[in-house]
Amino acid sequence: MAVPSYWLVKTEPEVFSLDDLRRAPRQTTRWDGVRNFAARGHLRAMKKGDLVFVYHSNAKPSAVVGIAEVVKEAYPDPSQFDRKDEMGYDPKAKRDAPTWVTVDVRFREALPRPVALDEVKRTPALRKMALVRIARLSVQPVTAAEWNAALALARKKPPA
DNA sequence: GCCAACGTTGGC
DNA sequence: GCCAACGTTGGC
């Protein structure tokens, strides 16, 4: 693919952290359980090779902590059919017309240092990020400018 | 643990 | 189709 698109996914580190992704078989996991229509639209738009910021929410501090890569494009999320999956099961989902999709992502790197939410808010190049603007959106697009600015921050020394 | 924001559900 | 009630996310 020519130019990758950029994304950000949220995860609670207590549930599934960047380290969990790094230690997963083939450092790859199914990013399942997304049950929000706007987020689903972004999952569907992801292309193989796109790069994804991994953001730890409900963390101390909440921060962008790493980068993953899309290795499999959107396909039906099996957890919607799993009655035993308390969070993911969707009784309205039909086998022949699945409601929810997932993608597979592979670990790429941990950032040299996390970029915390308060720093995102304080940085002019970043404070328009969907992360700040749109509450409760667990999968979101990131512009190339935002991506580069966040990476530049992560590779710099922490602010005083 | 609290609660604001906001997406979803369901009664009408 | 409106909108109140409800449930969840996620910062603090």
Side-chain angles (χ1 to χ4, degrees):
Chain A
M1 61 286 328
V3 184
S5 295
Y6 301 110
W7 309 94
L8 179 147
V9 296
K10 297 178 182 176
T11 183
E12 298 192 31
E14 305 268 312
V15 179
F16 190 86
S17 69
L18 183 69
D19 264 353
D20 292 328
L21 177 60
R22 186 171 51 75
R23 289 190 296 253
R26 300 190 320 283
Q27 300 193 312
T28 298
T29 197
R30 173 184 290 153
W31 206 265
D32 59 7
V34 172
R35 296 292 182 270
N36 168 287
F37 292 108
R40 181 185 72 179
H42 298 311
L43 286 179
R44 282 180 170 158
M46 287 183 179
K47 297 294 176 196
K48 205 170 163 183
D50 282 358
L51 297 174
V52 183
F53 276 144
V54 176
Y55 174 82
H56 281 172
S57 60
N58 269 321
K60 298 179 185 114
S62 294
V64 180
V65 293
I67 298 175
E69 174 185 350
V70 176
V71 293
K72 184 175 178 184
E73 296 177 9
Y75 60 98
D77 181 348
S79 71
Q80 70 196 300
F81 305 119
D82 182 358
R83 291 175 178 280
K84 294 194 297 295
D85 188 323
E86 288 190 18
M87 297 304 292
Y89 178 63
D90 183 348
K92 287 181 295 197
K94 301 284 190 303
R95 288 271 172 194
D96 52 357
T99 306
W100 305 110
V101 300
T102 184
V103 298
D104 288 355
V105 298
R106 182 191 296 142
F107 176 86
R108 270 274 195 122
E109 64 172 277
L111 295 182
R113 71 173 181 85
V115 178
L117 179 61
D118 72 311
E119 197 177 354
V120 171
K121 289 177 176 171
R122 282 188 281 107
T123 302
L126 298 181
R127 66 168 157 243
K128 299 273 177 55
M129 287 182 76
L131 182 63
V132 180
R133 280 182 5 253
I134 309 173
R136 305 176 48 195
L137 181 60
S138 60
V139 181
Q140 52 189 258
V142 173
T143 68
E146 290 162 351
W147 182 272
N148 292 327
L151 271 190
L153 266 187
R155 290 180 171 140
K156 224 174 53 179
K157 282 200 162 63

